[in-house]
Structure formats: structure tokens, C-alpha cells
Amino acid sequence: MPALRNIALLALAATASAQLSSVTSSLSSGCQSAATSLISSEFASCASLLSLVSVVTTSGSIISPLETWLNSACTSTCNSSAIDAAVKIVDDGCSSDLADGNTIVTALKYAITNYDTEQKALCLQSTSNSTYCISQLLTSVQSATGTDLSVTDIQSIYSNTTILSQLTPAELCTDCNHGLVSAFSSLDNGTLTSFASSECGSSFADGQTPSTVALKSGNGTSSSTESTPLSGAGRVGAGAMVAGVVAVAFGALSLM
């Protein structure tokens, strides 16, 4: 399963009876009730679920609403009890859906269970300008495609390596993307790190976070040097690596 199948599926709970009714209609009545219960949970508050709705339902580029959500979600922490309670809501209310292998519910549970790892990855910023690393990556992809990057574009971006190969080594092999690969490595099946090593050199898949990348905190990130490309970056197949990062971070968006 792609990691974070995805954090965007958390918005499913926040819109269980509204914008995503066509998605929730595939869930059992008990599971729909569980999604409603999740809205009022401690987890919904600490994960800023309501702010996540705008990412899923936007009709234009997802980058701005994504950053709005991250500005909220990255300054809050979900403790283990809040996460465990949210998982229990899903387990108890969606037991039949889980048993039937419903991909939406399975992904939702996965996203909640791995929220700590997901948040730490998505909240990485360049210390030079406090720009989210995931935003930098998606902005590069958006510029390469020449169109606004919407929710429905995610699946095509994952498969369209011809377009993604237009990214230059300077856009691809940055410290920020190095940090993203490292942060998502525990949720990856090895494909992402393999792409990273192939396209940007073995050091790109070393599991380390460059000193020019840091987690956003309540006071922002500290100043440091500009994120720079790593040496040994190749251009051939660059789209595969970017597609991997996007898939790991936003795989579930294409389900919305």
C-alpha cells in the first residue's frame, strides 16, 4: 500500500455527509456513523481535519489549500491516546468494511495509524525560506506540466513520467527532496529509495535529513543555508522518482 493512502483520506471523516457523499456511499451505515464520530474526536482537532477538506474539494491548484492545512496541522501534535482512540472508532464502526477489504476504510485507518510519520514528513521545510518541502516539489511538478495541479491530476502525475522527466536535476535532487525521501522511507516498500539512489546518487537514499531542512514548529524554522542540489544527479528517469514521492505523499488524493 502506498504510504498515506493518504493523509487526505482523513478529510473523508470531516465530509462524511457532505462533499464526499459519493465516496462515503460505499461505506456501511455503521462506518458512516463512525466517520461522523471522528469529526468530534480529539484527533480531528489535533490533525485539523476540517482544514483538510479544502485540499480535497478544491477546484484549482491544491498547493495553496495544502499549505493552509499544513500551517495548522504542523503546529499541533496528536498524542498517542488521540490516535489510538481514532483508530478504535474506525475499528469498531467499520469492522465489516475492513473485513471486506474496503480500500477507503483501510487507507483511512492506515493514515491515522501512521499520522506521526506522515506529519513529520509533510511538515518538513527549507530552513532558508520556511517553504514546505512538499510544496516545493509540487510547485516544480506544476511548472513542468504548465497547469494547476489539482486533486484529480495526482493519478496522472504518478503515471506520466514523460512530463515529470522535464524536471531538471536542480529541481529534483534538492535537500528538501532528500529530506522527503528520508522521512517517507519507513512507509515505502523500497521503490522510492531505489529511485532516489538511481537518480540523485546513493547518498540521497541514506535516510538522513540535511541540515538545511527542518520540521516546522510553532515559531517556524531557523535560518540556515539555501537548499542545494546534490552532486551526481541524472536526468534520465527523473520523473519516476518524483512520481514515487508524490505517490507516497498523496496517493489517496486520486480516490477523492
Side-chain angles (χ1 to χ4, degrees):
M1 173 187 297
L4 311 191
R5 207 183 228 278
N6 172 289
I7 208 159
L9 279 177
L10 298 177
L12 172 63
T15 54
S17 60
Q19 294 102 321
L20 301 182
S21 59
S22 62
V23 175
T24 58
S25 63
S26 68
L27 308 181
S28 67
S29 58
C31 195
Q32 291 186 43
S33 295
T36 302
S37 296
L38 199 57
I39 298 173
S40 59
S41 70
E42 180 183 355
F43 180 77
S45 177
C46 63
S48 301
L49 291 192
L50 293 180
S51 296
L52 189 55
V53 173
S54 62
V55 180
V56 177
T57 59
T58 185
S59 58
S61 171
I62 66 170
I63 296 175
S64 180
L66 172 65
E67 290 178 339
T68 297
W69 172 67
L70 289 174
N71 285 335
S72 176
C74 293
T75 55
S76 178
T77 300
C78 289
N79 58 44
S80 58
S81 62
I83 294 174
D84 290 346
V87 171
K88 188 176 188 303
I89 289 174
V90 176
D91 280 342
D92 290 350
C94 305
S95 57
S96 62
D97 304 76
L98 290 167
D100 291 340
N102 184 290
T103 57
I104 294 173
V105 180
T106 302
L108 176 61
K109 179 179 177 179
Y110 185 88
I112 296 172
T113 303
N114 293 285
Y115 183 77
D116 280 345
T117 299
E118 298 162 0
Q119 183 194 40
K120 289 174 182 176
L122 294 176
C123 293
L124 286 175
Q125 292 181 318
S126 168
T127 56
S128 66
N129 56 18
S130 296
T131 300
Y132 292 106
C133 289
I134 193 65
S135 295
Q136 289 187 23
L137 174 61
L138 294 179
T139 297
S140 294
V141 173
Q142 186 167 274
S143 296
T145 62
T147 59
D148 284 347
L149 185 59
S150 68
V151 169
T152 55
D153 291 328
I154 296 298
Q155 189 171 20
S156 61
I157 285 175
Y158 177 67
S159 61
N160 196 338
T161 57
T162 300
I163 291 178
L164 293 174
S165 64
Q166 296 178 41
L167 293 182
T168 66
E171 295 169 325
L172 180 67
C173 301
T174 65
D175 282 358
C176 248
N177 286 345
H178 185 178
L180 284 174
V181 169
S182 297
F184 282 124
S185 62
S186 65
L187 302 181
D188 177 42
N189 63 5
T191 302
L192 179 59
T193 52
S194 177
F195 284 144
S197 180
S198 173
E199 302 306 323
C200 296
S202 59
S203 62
F204 208 83
D206 60 7
Q208 302 300 307
T209 302
S211 60
T212 57
V213 177
L215 280 174
K216 175 183 174 64
S217 66
N219 296 319
T221 54
S222 58
S223 297
S224 185
T225 58
E226 181 67 50
S227 177
T228 56
L230 297 182
S231 61
R235 189 179 183 113
V236 178
M241 180 197 147
V242 177
V245 174
V246 172
V248 168
F250 292 100
L253 283 172
S254 62
L255 298 177
M256 292 295 101

